[in-house]
């Protein structure tokens, strides 16, 4: 044995006890602050310095707060099963009593899992839970949380099942394995997509109808504007006609005032013709869009070529016999 191991004292010295007590005090502060992972590390370090059941008890309670119930149970059991002399410190005996109470309270909280497999011989099935191999049809106790169960067998398609274990509940999972040779044949067929022509016809109808409606509305708006410009032009013509006793000739206006009024009249007339043309083209294009969409929809919805079938039936007449052929050729 190494010389250091031989020279190690059988009982911890005062320095080790002081270090363990400081680590335990730090762990207790972290535990009360809700920092259970750090508290667990401190209690484990204190136990490494000096073995004491209270350190293990506090480590078990930290694991319990972290949801690591199976680890907490192992620590509680270690404290409860440790033989103690009557001369042991009172705190040690109290920790052992608390550990036994913790075990009793923890037992119904640990969830259990039972797995059943159908379709294959039990001896050929291999089960893994989060990568760990487990036995078939044997209840397992695990911590609450998400798990991945994989079942495999030679000649069968592997099956993966995701599930969650809830505190205080027992979960039963049944897996049915299918032979690999028939798995593809029995797989459900995907839903058949609608024919492309039908989908395209619906899209064209929507686009064409929307464009036709928008163009008709634009044509109505342009018509209203054109009518307004025509009314303004009529009023302006009356105003020009009344100037200078009706002697105004806009082809050769006399004076700046006549030129301005004539120019204003020409602008109104041009606007009237512009918006009239826009209205007419809007109606024409809108109508063409509507007719095109209707025509495409009608052609796309036309029934496809009927299936070619020939029917033969015997024919017997007083003058002889034969066959009658009918159907679609």
């Amino acid at each position: 044995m190494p010389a250091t191991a031989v020279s190690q004292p059988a009982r911890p010295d005062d320095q080790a006890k002081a270090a363990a007590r400081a680590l335990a005090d730090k762990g207790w502060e972290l535990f009360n602050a809700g920092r259970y992972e750090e508290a667990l590390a401190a209690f484990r370090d204190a136990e490494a310095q000096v073995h004491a059941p209270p350190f293990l008890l506090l480590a078990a309670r930290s694991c319990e707060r972290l949801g690591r119930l199976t680890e907490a149970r192992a620590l509680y059991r270690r404290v409860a099963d440790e033989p103690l002399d009557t001369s042991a410190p009172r705190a040690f005996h109290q920790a052992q009593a608390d550990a036994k109470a913790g075990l009793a309270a923890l037992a119904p909280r640990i969830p259990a899992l039972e797995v059943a497999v159908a379709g294959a011989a039990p001896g050929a099935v291999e089960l893994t839970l989060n990568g760990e191999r487990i036995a078939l049809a044997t209840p397992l106790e695990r911590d609450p949380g998400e798990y991945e169960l994989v079942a495999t067998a030679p000649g069968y398609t592997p099956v993966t099942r995701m599930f969650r274990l809830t505190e205080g509940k027992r979960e039963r999972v049944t897996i049915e394995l299918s032979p690999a040779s028939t798995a593809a044949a029995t797989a459900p067929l995907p839903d058949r997509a609608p024919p492309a022509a039908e989908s395209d016809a619906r899209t064209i109808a929507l686009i064409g109808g929307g464009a036709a409606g928008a163009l008709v509305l634009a044509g109505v708006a342009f018509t209203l504007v054109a009518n307004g410009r025509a009314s303004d032009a009529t009023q302006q013509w009356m105003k020009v006609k009344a100037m200078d006793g009706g002697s105004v000739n806009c082809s050769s206006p006399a004076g700046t005032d006549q030129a301005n009024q004539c120019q204003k009249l020409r602008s109104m007339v041009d606007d009237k013709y512009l918006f009239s043309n826009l209205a007419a083209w809007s109606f024409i294009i809108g109508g063409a869009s509507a007719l095109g969409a209707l025509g495409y929809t009608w052609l796309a919805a036309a029934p496809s070529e009927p299936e070619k079938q020939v029917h033969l039936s015997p024919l017997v007449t007083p003058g002889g016999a034969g066959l009658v052929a009918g159907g679609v050729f």
Side-chain angles (χ1 to χ4, degrees), residues 215-216 218-219 222 273-289:
L215 289 170
V216 168
F222 289 143
Y273 284 116
L274 172 64
F275 285 105
S276 295
N277 291 332
L278 289 175
W281 280 110
S282 297
F283 288 125
I284 293 171
I285 298 174
S289 299

Side-chain angles (χ1 to χ4, degrees), residues 129-209:
L129 186 66
N130 282 3
E132 174 192 357
R133 188 167 181 175
I134 62 174
L136 179 64
T138 301
L140 301 172
E141 292 183 332
R142 291 292 187 271
D143 292 330
E146 299 287 341
Y147 289 89
E148 179 187 61
L149 179 66
V150 180
T152 57
Y156 290 83
T157 303
V159 175
T160 301
R161 185 76 57 83
M162 301 295 299
F163 62 93
R164 180 176 183 82
L165 288 178
T166 304
E167 183 176 315
K169 293 187 178 181
R170 179 181 293 269
E171 185 78 19
R172 178 179 175 85
V173 178
T174 302
I175 294 178
E176 185 165 353
L177 294 174
S178 301
S181 57
T182 60
T186 58
L189 295 176
D191 294 337
R192 186 177 179 182
E198 181 181 349
S199 177
D200 292 343
R202 189 181 302 113
T203 303
I204 294 297
L206 291 175
I207 296 176

Side-chain angles (χ1 to χ4, degrees), residues 80-91:
D81 295 343
E82 181 177 350
L84 294 177
D85 294 334
T86 55
S87 61
R90 182 179 178 182

Side-chain angles (χ1 to χ4, degrees), residues 313-327:
S313 58
L315 175 65
V316 179
T317 65
L323 294 175
V324 175

